[in-house]
Amino acid sequence: MKIAVFGAGYVGLVQAAGLASTGNTVFAGDVSHEKLEMMRQGKSPIYEAGLEELLESGLKSKRLNFYHVEDAAFKKALQEAQVIFVAVGTPEKPDGSSDMQYIFKVMDQLSTLEGDLSDKVVVTKSTVPVGTGDEIEAYLKKKGKTPVVASNPEFLKQGSAVQDFMKPERVIIGTLDPKAVALLTELHHPFMLKRDRILSMSRRSAELVKYACNSFLATKISFINEMARLAEAMGADIREIRAGMITDSRIGDQFLFPGIGYGGSCLPKDTHSLMVQGRKLQEPMKMMEAIDFVNQRQRRWVADKLEELWGNKAAGKSIALWGLSFKPNTDDLREAPSVQLISRLMEMGVKIQAHDPAAMENIRKMFSAAVYEGKIRLFDDPYEALKGASALALVTEWSEYRSPDFDKIKSELKEPIILDGRNIFDPKGMLEKGFRYRGVGSNSVA
Ligand code: UGA
């Protein structure tokens, strides 16, 4: 098939490269000349396992093509495409609602194409407020364009986006138009050879499924984090509670890892957007409000523990941070707990010595003044980051931090304090090694 994709970010680029890999001709459009240049050379602007290989093979086969959205060639490609995916950003506005300007810019561009577009399917991949498909349809209709408008929400996880695309747990097709369902089913068929996991449903349901999934995942995380605080206050240990809970198959063992809160470009944004959508319909999302509150509080965990340990003697000390990205295997800092933590530490007068396998460049850009002034120092070697620091905080559980050389950690640190924001170290072992250790949800160690 001939496919066009608007937006070559996390979602659009994986979508474009993935669909090219199964024999489709894909025309991907983006607004960034810089990113387009990289992608044309087979370089992925984002850190995502397996993506460059897909990019390279797509370019080699000439089935993957990149354009600036304003190029005349992209317009020609749009005219030829049977399916047009819209994967542009819907960032959060200050009031928590979704900024839809990029989606409607795409629609304006589609309005300039020739014909009524009734032979095309326009598919939203971006997470959009429920009812957006209806708005798009009405908007295009006013301009004499009548494509089928469908929703096909993405369920990619950063860090394993390519794998999630290639082996999806489910594909949701949100349209009741039989031809569009058949076309989108055919397009996803190569990823369903073992087992069919395509669900077709109404467009509004498809739009809401996406929010329901991310909100439920956020619920699980805030639940375990709230339980962790209670366990700590009660002298119990959340690891034991978790172990006791997950043996119940109805509960399951995923997304029940306590930590310093969820971040990323999706869970915070989608829960906020759903709350705004509920309020507009006089259906306040009381649970989501609580889930968000618990998450905000949990993100302060590291700094709170430092205040407990150091009292008013924090200013002037240094802390080593291991991990900066919002989760492992990505360089993404959007809503990363580390960002809030760094700001708070700087307010406390604490100096930062950090390491991250992928996100240091992004931190350098984000906190350029503080890096320049030496308030934040970045190290290529995690152990170098410990030198002279009075504590180590484990912020992101990259696998390279999971079984470190504790003797070396102890000899490099000024004070043997470890704040384990992801509960990856064994508390008893930490005590035996002479650390002052704090994990989330346990007060069993000195
Ligand atoms: C999330 C969803 O998991 C994907 O299914 C969805 O497609 C995606 O959003 C999206 O809407 O595009 P992602 O943002 O990549 O994916 O990250 P997650 O793996 O969900 O992690 C989110 C945050 O929760 C991270 O900060 C992580 O550290 C935290 N987390 C996760 C916990 O604190 N505890 C857990 O048990 C699991």
Side-chain angles (χ1 to χ4, degrees):
M1 281 186 214
K2 288 187 174 168
I3 310 287
V5 180
F6 269 94
Y10 272 100
V11 177
L13 181 54
V14 174
Q15 175 84 6
L19 289 177
S21 77
T22 50
N24 302 291
T25 300
V26 182
F27 314 108
D30 202 275
V31 290
S32 162
H33 288 289
E34 194 192 343
K35 278 203 226 159
L36 286 165
E37 206 34 59
M38 283 180 79
M39 294 183 290
R40 286 184 188 125
Q41 287 171 19
K43 297 211 166 48
S44 168
I46 51 169
Y47 180 93
E48 198 61 55
L51 188 52
E52 279 194 351
E53 287 82 346
L54 266 192
L55 247 176
E56 271 166 31
S57 68
L59 292 169
K60 211 166 151 197
S61 66
K62 297 198 171 20
R63 284 199 298 264
L64 181 57
N65 308 277
F66 292 101
Y67 304 90
H68 191 273
V69 285
E70 280 160 17
D71 285 354
F74 189 54
K75 189 167 180 184
K76 192 166 166 268
L78 287 170
Q79 202 72 59
E80 285 175 22
Q82 294 156 273
V83 182
I84 299 171
F85 285 100
V86 184
V88 294
T90 51
E92 184 172 346
K93 291 207 269 190
D95 67 354
S97 63
S98 307
D99 186 345
M100 302 300 286
Q101 60 167 312
Y102 305 109
I103 295 271
F104 283 94
K105 256 191 198 155
V106 169
M107 299 312 144
D108 285 338
Q109 199 167 344
L110 294 183
S111 308
T112 67
L113 298 180
E114 280 162 29
D116 64 7
L117 312 186
S118 57
D119 56 339
K120 297 190 193 304
V121 185
V122 173
V123 186
T124 49
K125 283 279 344 156
S126 315
T127 303
V128 290
V130 179
T132 298
D134 297 10
E135 284 174 29
I136 290 176
E137 195 172 81
Y139 191 86
L140 289 174
K141 200 169 173 195
K142 265 197 216 149
K143 304 194 177 205
K145 310 294 176 194
T146 52
V148 174
V149 177
S151 161
N152 170 220
E154 57 86 17
F155 295 102
L156 309 177
K157 296 183 286 298
Q158 281 180 229
S160 58
V162 171
Q163 203 191 333
D164 290 346
F165 184 83
M166 292 300 185
K167 292 182 183 160
E169 287 192 314
R170 76 298 209 189
V171 168
I172 305 251
I173 296 177
T175 172
L176 298 178
D177 181 281
K179 273 197 203 142
V181 172
L183 195 71
L184 293 173
T185 303
E186 191 188 331
L187 192 61
H188 288 97
H189 175 71
F191 308 103
M192 301 281 153
L193 294 180
K194 273 196 191 150
R195 189 164 55 92
D196 186 12
R197 297 165 312 275
I198 295 182
L199 301 171
S200 63
M201 59 182 70
S202 78
R203 193 165 56 202
R204 279 180 179 249
S205 293
E207 288 167 340
L208 185 53
V209 166
K210 169 69 195 209
Y211 285 103
C213 290
N214 275 359
S215 301
F216 189 67
L217 295 173
T219 305
K220 291 184 88 174
I221 300 169
S222 276
F223 175 86
I224 201 74
N225 283 336
E226 187 169 63
M227 202 50 72
R229 297 178 82 96
L230 191 64
E232 189 175 327
M234 290 174 161
D237 188 333
I238 194 63
R239 296 173 206 239
E240 290 166 359
I241 314 297
R242 182 188 137 80
M245 282 175 70
I246 63 176
T247 43
D248 187 328
S249 58
R250 294 167 304 174
I251 294 174
D253 61 0
Q254 294 202 45
F255 273 67
L256 285 174
F257 291 100
I260 50 174
Y262 58 78
S265 63
C266 305
L267 265 48
K269 170 171 87 80
D270 293 352
T271 46
H272 294 159
S273 173
L274 197 59
M275 281 189 262
V276 173
Q277 293 177 55
R279 271 201 296 277
K280 273 193 192 152
L281 296 166
Q282 281 78 50
E283 289 294 346
M285 308 289 293
K286 290 291 175 199
M287 278 179 67
M288 296 321 301
E289 284 167 21
I291 286 152
D292 188 46
F293 168 82
V294 170
N295 194 50
Q296 297 297 341
R297 185 178 59 180
Q298 200 63 15
R299 291 201 210 184
R300 298 195 290 267
W301 185 85
V302 172
D304 287 348
K305 287 288 154 195
L306 278 185
E307 280 185 342
E308 269 175 33
L309 287 162
W310 289 344
N312 55 9
K313 295 196 183 70
K317 294 196 191 236
S318 296
I319 183 168
L321 303 184
W322 276 6
L324 299 164
S325 54
F326 82 93
K327 68 173 191 180
N329 305 320
T330 172
D331 59 356
D332 201 332
L333 290 176
R334 283 177 289 178
E335 293 280 337
S338 69
V339 173
Q340 214 171 323
L341 172 63
I342 288 176
S343 304
R344 172 120 181 252
L345 290 171
M346 289 199 295
E347 277 166 27
M348 290 161 65
V350 176
K351 289 192 181 144
I352 292 133
Q353 309 184 167
H355 173 268
D356 186 282
M360 291 202 290
E361 264 325 295
N362 288 339
I363 279 283
R364 208 187 296 280
K365 282 184 206 147
M366 189 180 273
F367 290 99
S368 54
V371 172
Y372 180 74
E373 290 162 14
K375 290 179 183 161
I376 302 174
R377 291 197 294 147
L378 300 167
F379 295 85
D380 291 331
D381 177 342
Y383 295 95
E384 286 293 311
L386 302 170
K387 284 200 168 107
S390 295
L392 162 65
L394 190 287
V395 178
T396 316
E397 70 281 26
W398 284 88
S399 51
E400 69 172 277
Y401 304 141
R402 292 191 189 194
S403 53
D405 181 340
F406 286 107
D407 294 332
K408 207 167 163 190
I409 295 180
K410 203 161 169 224
S411 68
E412 300 289 14
L413 284 177
K414 245 189 191 168
E415 299 175 54
I417 296 175
I418 295 186
L419 302 173
D420 182 357
R422 301 290 177 179
N423 278 8
I424 60 172
F425 303 136
D426 164 37
K428 279 198 194 94
M430 297 290 95
L431 190 61
E432 281 160 21
K433 290 184 170 73
F435 283 104
R436 293 184 78 190
Y437 173 84
R438 294 286 186 279
V440 177
S442 133
N443 67 355
S444 56
V445 184

